[in-house]
Amino acid sequence: SYVLTQPPSVSVAPGQTARITCEGNNIGSESVHWYQQKPGQAPVLVVSDDSDRPSGIPERFSGSNSGNTATLTISRVEAGDEADYYCQVWDPSSDHWVFGGGTKLTVL
Amino acid sequence: QVQLVESGGGVVQPGRSLRLSCAASGFTFSSYAMHWVRQAPGKGLEWVALISYDGSKKYYADSVKGRFTISRDNSKNTLSLQMNSLRAEDTALYYCARAPPFGNAAFDIWGQGTMVTVSS
């Protein structure tokens, strides 16, 4: 089955740029979605189809996808961005949705 | 407003059954695919099952295939998950989520979840 690999944690100072990666075999040929989950809350979609931002999501959130790595980039990080972030793809070979293991973003 | 509300969670013994429900409101339920996603305590997200907008297609994670059944009633705007032969490893917070019915669309709305604990 398809595997998505994320770093367990990423730390960044306020105002800096956070980059969270999601690695998968030829992931660049798939559409990647990203979710933010704050403690005690349901996940929220922050980037869809590699780089689209849903309504209400700040422009500071952006995404890219190429080769074997997809990346969620959060510019001008704020304390309120501290959360777990998950990448997701549809695996057509198994008809399964797959989530990455999640990355905990810590704002220093 | 657009809303998904899960119910039916609780404590159940291993081997027993439980039925979860998800009530949808604020949107045309019959136009969307629906999913169940679970999260074990302190762990990440795990996709469980998908049902197409009209109920004609259903897909399951390998970990639940043959034990869980997803269904929907578009006349009542309700999604269900029948869980049989429950195991300790099924203990999790279960979310329902919607997705537009095209391609591999993202899950754009999530409920707050209902907790299932499998324990003797």
Side-chain angles (χ1 to χ4, degrees):
Chain A
S1 60
Y2 197 76
V3 176
L4 296 176
T5 302
Q6 298 182 235
S9 63
V10 168
S11 299
V12 64
Q16 299 304 303
T17 297
R19 294 179 179 84
I20 298 173
T21 58
C22 176
E23 296 184 347
N25 184 38
N26 198 28
I27 195 174
S29 66
E30 309 294 340
S31 285
V32 179
H33 311 310
W34 290 92
Y35 300 88
Q36 175 194 69
Q37 186 180 34
K38 296 181 179 179
Q41 298 184 18
V44 172
L45 178 67
V46 292
V47 168
S48 64
D49 298 313
D50 298 339
S51 59
D52 291 340
R53 249 186 343 270
S55 173
I57 301 301
E59 292 184 6
R60 301 184 297 104
F61 288 81
S62 62
S64 61
N65 185 17
S66 179
N68 293 318
T69 304
T71 303
L72 173 69
T73 300
I74 309 172
S75 304
R76 303 181 298 284
V77 167
E78 303 173 356
D81 298 330
E82 195 163 271
D84 294 325
Y85 291 84
Y86 295 90
C87 58
Q88 180 202 38
V89 299
W90 168 254
D91 177 17
S93 67
S94 63
D95 286 338
H96 284 22
W97 280 96
V98 180
F99 285 98
T103 298
K104 181 176 181 58
L105 175 66
T106 299
V107 181
L108 301 172
Chain B
Q1 74 279 23
V2 176
Q3 195 173 10
L4 297 171
V5 178
E6 302 92 338
S7 61
V11 180
V12 61
Q13 293 179 329
R16 302 299 291 266
S17 299
L18 202 62
R19 187 178 183 87
L20 305 184
S21 296
C22 170
S25 60
F27 65 99
T28 304
F29 180 69
S30 59
S31 295
Y32 287 83
M34 295 297 297
H35 300 262
W36 287 99
V37 177
R38 67 185 181 184
Q39 186 169 35
K43 303 297 184 182
L45 302 174
E46 180 188 15
W47 172 76
V48 173
L50 152 67
I51 187 167
S52 60
Y53 68 99
D54 60 356
S56 63
K57 297 180 181 179
K58 303 176 184 180
Y59 303 95
Y60 299 92
D62 293 344
S63 57
V64 306
K65 195 169 186 177
R67 300 187 298 122
F68 290 13
T69 302
I70 189 171
S71 61
R72 66 189 299 159
D73 185 338
N74 285 345
S75 68
K76 297 181 178 179
N77 293 344
T78 300
L79 173 73
S80 297
L81 185 68
Q82 177 66 41
M83 304 185 296
N84 298 332
S85 303
L86 283 162
R87 306 167 179 166
E89 53 265 37
D90 295 319
T91 293
L93 184 62
Y94 284 73
Y95 295 102
C96 63
R98 80 167 197 185
F102 47 82
N104 49 3
F107 302 2
D108 62 351
I109 299 293
W110 297 62
Q112 287 302 307
T114 186
M115 186 68 199
V116 173
T117 303
V118 183
S119 174
S120 55

